[in-house]
Amino acid sequence: MTRQSRQMLIGLQLGNGYGSQPMSWRAPGVDPANYTSFDAQVRYAQAAERGKIQFFFLPDFAGLTSDVTNDSPQLTLEPLLTIAAAARATERIGFVATGSTTFTEPYNLARQFKTLDVMSHGRVGWNAVTTSDPNVAANYGAQIAPRPERYQRAHETIQIVQSLWGSWGEDAWLKDTETGRFADPDKIVPINLQGQHVASRGPLPIPPSEQGQPVIFSAGGGEYGLGLAGRYAGGVIGATFSIEDARAQRESIREAARAAGRDPDEVKFFAGVMPAIAPSVREAVDRRLRIGEYSLEKRLPYLGSMLGIPIEASRLDRPLTPEQLSAARPSPFDPRAPRALEVAREGWTVREILAHGVIDYHPTPVGPASVTADHMQEWFEAGAVDGFWVSVDVYEDGIDTFVDEVVPILQERGLFHTEYEGSTLRDHLGLPRQYGLDPRLH
Amino acid sequence: MTRQSRQMLIGLQLGNGYGSQPMSWRAPGVDPANYTSFDAQVRYAQAAERGKIQFFFLPDFAGLTSDVTNDSPQLTLEPLLTIAAAARATERIGFVATGSTTFTEPYNLARQFKTLDVMSHGRVGWNAVTTSDPNVAANYGAQIAPRPERYQRAHETIQIVQSLWGSWGEDAWLKDTETGRFADPDKIVPINLQGQHVASRGPLPIPPSEQGQPVIFSAGGGEYGLGLAGRYAGGVIGATFSIEDARAQRESIREAARAAGRDPDEVKFFAGVMPAIAPSVREAVDRRLRIGEYSLEKRLPYLGSMLGIPIEASRLDRPLTPEQLSAARPSPFDPRAPRALEVAREGWTVREILAHGVIDYHPTPVGPASVTADHMQEWFEAGAVDGFWVSVDVYEDGIDTFVDEVVPILQERGLFHTEYEGSTLRDHLGLPRQYGLDPRLH
Ligand SMILES: Cc1cc2nc3c(=O)[nH]c(=O)nc-3n(C[C@H](O)[C@H](O)[C@H](O)COP(=O)(O)O)c2cc1C
Ligand SMILES: Cc1cc2nc3c(=O)[nH]c(=O)nc-3n(C[C@H](O)[C@H](O)[C@H](O)COP(=O)(O)O)c2cc1C
């Protein structure tokens, strides 16, 4: 095994300017105006770069999909422009932005992502999603097409985008003031791709970045998702609650890459994690109680259904009764249920159980930084992941805490690099250079 | 008349990183790698801001429309991302980016332009063009539709974009940590616009910028173009070679605004100018000879047809003969012809005549800075323009020259402001705040 493969990779999630936890806009020390602050996003990126984090991951849904009465939308105003601001103020850290294969023209995707890649000197990735949310479709005057059609379009779009990226040959730009040759037109050629859903002639007049072209990421599994991941992805953003499931997801992605004719080590699988960090478990729970003060109780009914017992609102600040605990049966439909019951059995109040993140989108290690480091080490050493994407609860202090407390532990244990291996996102992820379509795909 | 209306407005054109003249990539002192350099674009923006220039104008065609063997494409890699980089490194100067109403989805236009407007604290404009170039259409797998259809789509697109901009109410964002109210959902409402060509439901979850929303610009005239300019534009980017024509264009735009129910002072008309500046006319011509060294002679046949006489290549470095001069008849089809003949009569060689910019896209005042200032003063005082968009030949030193030599003359003459009147593009242009659709339009 190379050094690269013995060490884990880390991405951080970047969203609305506050943090990944609900109500983080209201958390202590947070400027409630950060929803529109690019200075804040730049600060977060600089903090993460200090920790040698490989990349930021910016999810995206082109629409308002949540109630904003009491909480902020979870996303940046626009991911590409956010990256432009952050990339200009950093040197090494990578950025992966989500972009829809359904609702943006391939030429526009190709052009904006490659421009960002050039601007950042080769630090950009594109998380290509098909978009399954009807609220987003409505913003384009459209409806969500059946999955086969959306994925057909996704294949066409990614192939057109990569072909456009390759359409300005790697050595086409001569810029030779002596001979007066600006470029070699024989190496800048149309792609003339005509799919069923999208088409483009090209060429795209953008020279290669330091990594050639952006890295493709994908998110989401299933047969169709694996078809994309296996063929194109250098990274897959996953969601999973157990080592077994993560390992199975990772294996199926690697198998999909193999089936597409690629080396499975060229696609890295990232599991999500949402750490709650403080000097003690008690303080970590208190931190989450403070952040979630106004929203945790809304989740009470779901906790009840997850444990198979009714929980009255009046129990919010008391532990479950012995009767409730013995009647509880973790729901077989929710992989988070066993952990929820485990926490309940420790005697925490219902509100505190919720503050453990037991019904959050990703596993939540609670306590000192070492608890998060242990979680990451265990999953990594079990071969369940190539790395993690970490959603810190509140960016303002959470990124610093992760960088200053978790990262050094992982470094001491030899599990995380102490310096960037190179200058590009491909360097950081240990991915080969790629320019244009992958010629091995069949 | 207010102070605002007695002073001219100035925009600078921004393109490929080198300059607006052909072959500027090869000019002395220019880094031939600037095609991909965002540091260079930032430097240009900072230099222009020193001169209190109201805005940069970034033309755009989504495609490669020129031969790159010996010269660079004329455009930035991508205008919105270029602006993001430049806006983050400046405080006051505005930016107007061209974007196609035909080949970008309204929701994507609305989102990216408003995000940029928020990022720049209210300094952005959108030059809405319908796109008439089949090379661009081909990059989207499409053909250029007939003009009525393209303009119908443009109207729908601009209305959807402005409605989306207004869909997050001006005072909807409460961010009140005391009461826990993040936003007022009653003020964030869907737009539900369904056109013949485009549609969107909204809302767009982006709060107002310091100027509310971006300013709309348009470029190009004709009946259809005036329909857009009159209804939506705060600025019109023009191309014209005489005071009379400029005045006529400006009047028809003002009339179109009146007809749409607006105050004609709300749409500013900008004529192009491409100054050749040096301490003397001789040195200004020499500068242009150096920049255009490898390309001027290609224009010789056109010069002949413009003057109605054959000009042999062998005459390139000699003046026209007395016989040629007396036989010359300025073409009635090219408004630049009289000026070409005037220059020819001054006894310049054919190459030098061409170096006077006589067949460039805009008038070229040649000589010391005062010649350019005189040109601008004459047009402005004749009521032909509200201002100019200036294409400097080579950005690297040309912006400095314009800012350090032309601007002070205009300021001394009381024709140009000495400080920004405010902080937003609307402030700079003397335009009223606008949020959402203009309610006066009928
Ligand atoms: C961890 C993770 C993150 C995702 N992030 C996004 C996102 O930011 N934007 C988006 O539109 N979809 C996102 N998706 C959704 C998937 O791309 C996919 O659309 C979803 O799983 C629905 O599947 P389908 O498209 O196959 O119907 C994400 C999925 C996962 C598992
Ligand atoms: C000064 C000026 C600048 C223009 N800049 C652009 C531009 O950057 N991109 C573009 O696609 N069209 C540009 N146009 C073209 C017009 O928008 C318009 O498409 C053109 O005049 C053809 O007219 P039509 O669209 O009515 O057929 C410009 C026109 C003028 C006069």
Side-chain angles (χ1 to χ4, degrees):
Chain A
M1 276 211 272
T2 64
R3 176 163 167 282
Q4 192 78 35
S5 65
R6 283 187 300 102
Q7 293 194 318
M8 67 176 70
L9 304 167
I10 302 180
L12 290 186
Q13 177 264 14
L14 190 65
N16 57 19
Y18 307 115
S20 69
Q21 276 294 303
M23 307 306 286
S24 47
W25 73 277
R26 233 180 138 176
V30 169
D31 182 345
N34 275 350
Y35 181 48
T36 56
S37 170
F38 292 86
D39 291 342
Q41 305 283 19
V42 163
R43 237 176 17 248
Y44 306 149
Q46 290 171 336
E49 186 169 66
R50 184 162 46 80
K52 321 294 178 197
I53 300 301
Q54 273 89 6
F55 64 95
F56 266 105
F57 168 61
L58 290 81
D60 193 50
F61 295 86
L64 184 56
T65 55
S66 64
D67 180 359
V68 292
T69 308
N70 298 309
D71 203 0
S72 160
Q74 285 303 304
L75 305 162
T76 61
L77 298 190
E78 202 279 337
L80 294 171
L81 295 164
T82 305
I83 290 177
R88 291 281 307 165
T90 52
E91 299 274 327
R92 296 294 196 90
I93 191 165
F95 298 94
V96 179
T98 300
S100 172
T101 55
T102 304
F103 297 117
T104 306
E105 288 290 341
Y107 191 89
N108 294 341
L109 284 166
R111 187 183 189 200
Q112 293 199 317
F113 273 96
K114 196 173 182 189
T115 298
L116 258 192
D117 203 35
V118 167
M119 181 190 282
S120 66
H121 301 288
R123 296 186 281 145
V124 164
W126 168 34
N127 178 36
V129 298
T130 56
T131 309
S132 51
D133 186 330
N135 291 301
V136 174
N139 288 335
Y140 298 89
Q143 297 186 318
I144 294 295
R147 189 171 287 139
E149 190 181 319
R150 277 186 289 124
Y151 278 85
Q152 165 73 20
R153 185 179 164 127
H155 281 276
E156 293 177 5
T157 297
I158 296 173
Q159 288 176 24
I160 288 176
V161 166
Q162 290 193 326
S163 301
L164 285 169
W165 286 343
S167 68
W168 177 294
E170 283 199 271
D171 53 355
W173 192 18
L174 307 172
K175 50 176 186 292
D176 183 338
T177 49
E178 290 301 307
T179 63
R181 300 264 290 170
F182 184 76
D184 181 347
D186 295 340
K187 294 177 175 165
I188 299 172
V189 288
I191 63 167
N192 287 318
L193 283 180
Q194 173 72 53
Q196 247 175 273
H197 302 281
V198 281
S200 188
R201 190 178 77 186
L204 176 74
I206 306 182
S209 77
E210 283 77 352
Q211 69 173 353
Q213 68 190 24
V215 179
I216 305 281
F217 271 63
S218 69
E223 183 196 338
Y224 287 96
L226 284 174
L228 289 188
R231 291 172 74 81
Y232 314 107
V236 175
I237 296 292
T240 168
F241 290 93
S242 72
I243 288 180
E244 297 65 39
D245 179 60
R247 197 191 286 118
Q249 285 197 36
R250 179 168 181 257
E251 274 315 315
S252 57
I253 291 162
R254 291 172 63 85
E255 185 47 43
R258 242 180 243 113
R262 299 167 68 210
D263 176 345
D265 286 338
E266 290 173 31
V267 48
K268 312 296 182 185
F269 178 67
F270 296 86
V273 58
M274 300 188 120
I277 303 173
S280 67
V281 174
R282 174 74 256 168
E283 287 160 289
V285 169
D286 286 343
R287 174 180 169 89
R288 283 300 177 87
L289 286 172
R290 269 194 309 277
I291 299 169
E293 192 175 350
Y294 311 96
S295 72
L296 283 175
E297 57 190 85
K298 280 189 241 145
R299 302 182 174 189
L300 190 139
Y302 188 78
L303 180 66
S305 76
M306 198 160 81
L307 297 180
I309 48 170
I311 309 178
E312 322 79 67
S314 60
R315 284 229 79 74
L316 207 50
D317 291 305
R318 286 181 290 167
L320 295 182
T321 62
E323 295 70 36
Q324 282 176 312
L325 282 173
S326 65
R329 295 283 172 279
S331 160
F333 304 110
D334 193 320
R336 301 167 293 192
R339 161 88 174 139
L341 184 53
E342 190 187 307
V343 174
R345 289 203 175 115
E346 290 170 14
W348 301 93
T349 69
V350 170
R351 197 191 296 274
E352 288 163 348
I353 298 169
L354 290 165
H356 275 76
V358 295
I359 51 182
D360 276 2
Y361 291 116
H362 304 285
T364 297
V366 179
S370 61
V371 174
T372 293
D374 291 347
H375 172 96
M376 295 170 80
Q377 176 166 13
E378 189 186 358
W379 285 48
F380 181 66
E381 291 185 341
V385 299
D386 297 287
F388 298 89
W389 62 289
V390 181
S391 300
V392 308
D393 43 21
V394 176
Y395 302 130
E396 199 61 75
D397 60 339
I399 295 177
D400 285 336
T401 301
F402 187 84
V403 159
D404 297 332
E405 301 184 18
V406 180
V407 164
I409 297 175
L410 295 171
Q411 287 171 331
E412 261 166 51
R413 296 181 188 173
L415 292 164
F416 189 60
H417 68 176
T418 53
E419 193 39 84
Y420 287 109
E421 286 74 23
S423 66
T424 70
L425 179 59
R426 283 176 198 278
D427 292 340
H428 303 343
L429 301 181
L431 297 175
R433 193 175 170 88
Q434 182 180 340
Y435 202 66
L437 282 176
D438 185 338
R440 297 166 304 176
L441 290 188
H442 46 74
Chain B
M1 275 211 273
T2 64
R3 177 165 166 279
Q4 193 77 35
S5 64
R6 283 186 300 104
Q7 294 195 320
M8 67 176 69
L9 304 167
I10 302 180
L12 290 186
Q13 176 265 15
L14 190 65
N16 58 19
Y18 307 116
S20 70
Q21 276 293 304
M23 308 306 286
S24 47
W25 73 277
R26 232 180 138 176
V30 169
D31 182 344
N34 275 351
Y35 181 48
T36 56
S37 170
F38 292 87
D39 291 342
Q41 306 282 20
V42 163
R43 237 175 19 246
Y44 306 149
Q46 289 171 337
E49 186 169 66
R50 185 162 46 80
K52 320 294 179 196
I53 300 300
Q54 272 89 7
F55 64 94
F56 267 105
F57 168 60
L58 290 81
D60 194 49
F61 295 87
L64 184 57
T65 55
S66 64
D67 179 359
V68 292
T69 308
N70 298 308
D71 204 0
S72 159
Q74 285 304 304
L75 305 162
T76 61
L77 298 190
E78 202 279 338
L80 294 172
L81 296 165
T82 304
I83 291 177
R88 291 282 307 165
T90 51
E91 298 275 328
R92 295 295 196 89
I93 191 165
F95 297 94
V96 179
T98 300
S100 173
T101 54
T102 304
F103 297 118
T104 306
E105 287 290 340
Y107 191 89
N108 294 342
L109 284 166
R111 187 182 190 202
Q112 292 199 316
F113 273 95
K114 196 173 183 189
T115 298
L116 258 191
D117 203 36
V118 167
M119 180 190 282
S120 66
H121 300 289
R123 295 187 280 144
V124 165
W126 167 34
N127 178 36
V129 298
T130 55
T131 308
S132 52
D133 186 330
N135 291 302
V136 174
N139 288 335
Y140 298 89
Q143 297 187 317
I144 294 295
R147 189 172 286 138
E149 191 180 318
R150 277 187 289 126
Y151 278 85
Q152 165 74 18
R153 185 179 163 127
H155 280 276
E156 293 177 5
T157 297
I158 296 173
Q159 288 177 24
I160 288 175
V161 166
Q162 291 194 326
S163 301
L164 285 169
W165 287 342
S167 68
W168 177 293
E170 283 200 270
D171 52 356
W173 192 18
L174 308 172
K175 49 175 187 293
D176 183 338
T177 49
E178 290 300 307
T179 62
R181 298 265 290 170
F182 184 75
D184 181 347
D186 295 341
K187 295 178 175 164
I188 299 173
V189 288
I191 63 168
N192 287 318
L193 284 180
Q194 172 72 54
Q196 249 175 273
H197 302 282
V198 281
S200 188
R201 190 179 76 187
L204 177 73
I206 306 182
S209 76
E210 283 77 352
Q211 69 173 353
Q213 67 190 24
V215 179
I216 304 282
F217 271 63
S218 70
E223 184 197 337
Y224 288 96
L226 285 174
L228 288 189
R231 291 171 74 81
Y232 315 108
V236 175
I237 296 293
T240 168
F241 290 94
S242 72
I243 288 181
E244 296 65 40
D245 180 60
R247 197 191 286 119
Q249 285 196 35
R250 179 167 182 258
E251 274 315 315
S252 57
I253 291 161
R254 293 171 63 84
E255 186 47 43
R258 244 180 241 114
R262 298 167 69 210
D263 177 345
D265 286 339
E266 290 174 30
V267 47
K268 311 297 181 185
F269 178 67
F270 297 87
V273 58
M274 300 187 120
I277 303 172
S280 67
V281 174
R282 174 75 256 168
E283 287 159 289
V285 170
D286 286 344
R287 175 180 169 88
R288 283 299 177 86
L289 286 172
R290 270 195 306 278
I291 299 169
E293 193 175 349
Y294 311 97
S295 71
L296 283 175
E297 57 190 85
K298 279 189 240 146
R299 302 181 173 190
L300 188 139
Y302 187 78
L303 181 65
S305 76
M306 199 160 80
L307 297 179
I309 47 170
I311 308 178
E312 322 79 67
S314 60
R315 283 229 81 74
L316 207 51
D317 291 306
R318 284 182 290 167
L320 295 181
T321 63
E323 295 70 35
Q324 283 177 311
L325 283 172
S326 65
R329 296 282 172 279
S331 161
F333 304 109
D334 192 320
R336 300 168 294 190
R339 161 89 174 139
L341 184 54
E342 189 186 307
V343 174
R345 289 205 175 116
E346 290 170 13
W348 301 93
T349 69
V350 169
R351 198 190 295 274
E352 288 163 349
I353 298 169
L354 291 164
H356 276 74
V358 294
I359 50 182
D360 276 2
Y361 291 116
H362 304 287
T364 298
V366 179
S370 62
V371 175
T372 293
D374 291 347
H375 172 97
M376 295 170 81
Q377 177 166 11
E378 190 186 357
W379 286 48
F380 181 66
E381 291 186 340
V385 299
D386 296 288
F388 298 88
W389 61 289
V390 181
S391 301
V392 308
D393 43 21
V394 177
Y395 303 130
E396 198 62 75
D397 60 340
I399 295 176
D400 285 336
T401 301
F402 187 84
V403 159
D404 297 333
E405 300 184 19
V406 180
V407 164
I409 297 175
L410 295 171
Q411 286 171 330
E412 261 166 51
R413 296 181 187 173
L415 292 164
F416 189 61
H417 68 177
T418 53
E419 193 40 83
Y420 288 108
E421 286 74 22
S423 66
T424 70
L425 179 59
R426 283 176 198 278
D427 292 339
H428 303 343
L429 301 180
L431 297 175
R433 193 176 169 89
Q434 182 180 340
Y435 202 65
L437 283 175
D438 185 338
R440 296 167 305 176
L441 289 188
H442 46 73

